[in-house]
Amino acid sequence: MRGPRVERNDGEGPLPRRLRGWGGVSAMAAACAVTAAAVLLPLVQAAPEQGRAGTVHEGAAAPAVAPATPADETCQDPDASLRPTGVDGAAIARIKAAGKLVAGVDQNSFRWGYRNPVDGKLDGFDIALVKAIAKDILGDENAVIYRAVPTSQRIPALAEGRVDIVVRTMTINCARLKDVAFSTAYFEAGQQVLAPKGSPITGYDGSLKGRRICTAAGSIAESKLKENAFGSVSVTVPNQLDCLVRLQLGEVDGIVTDNALAAGQAAQDPTVRLVGSPFTKEFYGVAVNKDAPDLVRRINKVLEGYRAGGDSSQWVKAYRTHLESVLPGIAGPPTPKYRDG
C-alpha cells in the first residue's frame, strides 16, 4: 500500500516511501492535517453562525495588551495565571450571547484530541476539558463549535478572533505570553525524541548528527532544534502528526515532540519508541486572546473544580480514561500558580 506523495522541504526531493506500522492509515490522517493547515476547519459537532465565518463573535477585535501580562524581563514564572473568578466580563458575555464556545483543538493527536474510530466523534483529554469549560459557561458541554487548528495557527487563530480558546497540548512560555494569555497549567510534559525501533538515535544528543529530524512549525521542539540541532537536518511540517507519517514513509529519521503526544503515537505504531529522556519541563495551558482576562479567570475557576476531589476529580477521571494506558504513573495535575493584577 502506498501513501500520498509527501514532498520533503530540505531541497533534496522525495525519498523512497517505506511505510511502517499503520502508515497507510496515518497517511490519510495526515492529508486531513495538511488541509487544516490552510484553513481552520469547522468540525461536526456544531456549525458556525451564518455570515460570520471569519470571526468568533461580533466584537472579537484584534488583541489588546492585557494588564499585568509579564514582559520578557519580568517573566520569571510564566505558568502563573490570573486568580479565578466566576464574574462575567466582555468575553464571557459574547460567548453567552452567541450560545456557543468556539474551541481550537486537534483532531489527529491520539488520546488528546482525535476522531474516535468507534463513533467518529472528537474525543481525548483536551476535548474533555473543553466540555467542562462549556458546561460551566453555557450550562451545556455540547454547546461547542470545534475548529481544527494546526500547531502553527494556534496563536493567529486567537489573535484574529477565529476561536475563543485553544485547548491543544499548548505549552505555556514567556515568548507566547507576548501574544496570548494562558490559564493555569492542566498537564506537565517534556520534549523527547521519537525514533524507529532499532534506530541508532539514542535521544536529544550527538546521535542526531546527520539525521533528518522532524518538528511541527511553531512548536517548542522547533525552537529547541534551532538552539541546538546536534548537526541534524531540520524538517518542519504544519502538524505534529505529519512528522509521524514522514517517519513511517522513511522521509525523516526521528521526531522531536512532547513526550505526552509521542506516547500516544508509540501506542498506535509498535514500530516506533521514545528514546532518551525528556530534556524540558513544560506545562500545558488553555490559551485565550490577551484581551479576555475575564475568560482566563473563568477558565481558572473551572480548573479549580476540575482538579478538586483527589482520585474522584474530573481531572483524574479524564486521565484514567484517556491517558493512563499510554502515560502511566501520573499522580495528579500540576499545582496551580497565580499572580495578582
Side-chain angles (χ1 to χ4, degrees):
M1 181 176 180
R2 293 172 64 91
R5 181 183 180 90
V6 183
E7 296 297 331
R8 284 172 52 184
N9 65 355
D10 57 5
E12 297 181 12
L15 292 174
R17 294 153 185 79
R18 303 191 303 273
L19 288 177
R20 299 187 179 97
W22 57 289
V25 175
S26 60
M28 290 186 288
C32 297
V34 171
T35 302
V39 181
L40 289 175
L41 299 177
L43 303 184
V44 171
Q45 275 77 353
E49 296 172 73
Q50 293 296 320
R52 292 199 284 171
T55 60
V56 176
H57 311 302
E58 291 177 357
V65 177
T69 297
D72 283 349
E73 63 274 12
T74 60
C75 186
Q76 303 300 318
D77 204 4
D79 51 309
S81 184
L82 296 173
R83 295 190 181 277
T85 180
V87 177
D88 289 359
I92 297 294
R94 285 196 297 269
I95 293 169
K96 286 186 172 181
K100 299 287 184 182
L101 175 72
V102 184
V105 299
D106 200 350
Q107 62 175 348
N108 296 311
S109 291
F110 186 52
R111 301 291 187 177
W112 290 93
Y114 70 107
R115 291 287 183 183
N116 192 315
V118 175
D119 56 16
K121 294 181 179 180
L122 280 174
D123 202 0
F125 190 81
D126 281 345
I127 304 304
L129 180 53
V130 171
K131 290 180 177 180
I133 295 169
K135 175 70 173 178
D136 184 84
I137 295 175
L138 296 167
D140 181 0
E141 68 173 23
N142 296 312
V144 183
I145 296 174
Y146 292 101
R147 292 186 186 274
V149 182
T151 306
S152 60
Q153 288 297 304
R154 292 177 297 189
I155 289 175
L158 288 166
E160 296 165 12
R162 288 181 277 170
V163 296
D164 294 311
I165 61 175
V166 169
V167 187
R168 195 188 183 285
T169 58
M170 189 168 180
T171 299
I172 305 166
N173 61 33
C174 292
R176 288 172 177 166
L177 282 168
K178 297 176 183 177
D179 300 306
V180 297
F182 280 101
S183 71
T184 53
Y186 67 86
F187 199 86
E188 181 181 335
Q191 295 295 309
Q192 200 167 346
V193 178
L194 187 72
K197 291 179 178 178
S199 167
I201 295 174
T202 58
Y204 185 66
D205 52 32
S207 65
L208 298 182
K209 185 175 181 180
R211 310 290 177 184
R212 298 152 301 179
I213 304 300
C214 189
T215 62
S219 66
I220 299 295
E222 182 188 30
S223 64
K224 288 297 180 183
L225 274 186
K226 287 180 180 178
E227 291 173 8
N228 188 356
F230 289 102
S232 64
V233 177
S234 180
V235 178
T236 305
V237 296
N239 273 299
Q240 201 275 337
L241 184 65
D242 298 338
C243 282
L244 182 61
V245 175
R246 290 199 174 207
L247 186 66
Q248 292 168 329
L249 293 173
E251 297 190 349
V252 297
D253 302 301
I255 302 168
V256 177
T257 186
D258 297 4
N259 60 351
L261 292 173
Q265 293 176 352
Q268 288 176 297
D269 186 347
T271 70
V272 301
R273 64 188 178 100
L274 285 163
V275 295
S277 301
F279 57 91
T280 65
K281 185 176 182 179
E282 301 169 14
F283 295 99
Y284 295 159
V286 179
V288 176
N289 187 294
K290 287 182 71 172
D291 197 27
D294 62 312
L295 182 53
V296 175
R297 293 182 185 275
R298 184 63 170 268
I299 293 169
N300 285 340
K301 174 180 172 291
V302 175
L303 285 169
E304 285 283 291
Y306 203 69
R307 301 183 190 99
D311 286 345
S312 298
S313 70
Q314 288 179 274
W315 191 98
V316 170
K317 289 177 181 177
Y319 166 72
R320 288 174 176 165
T321 298
H322 301 291
L323 299 178
E324 188 173 33
S325 63
V326 296
L327 283 171
I330 297 176
T335 301
K337 297 180 182 179
Y338 298 109
R339 59 184 171 87
D340 294 309

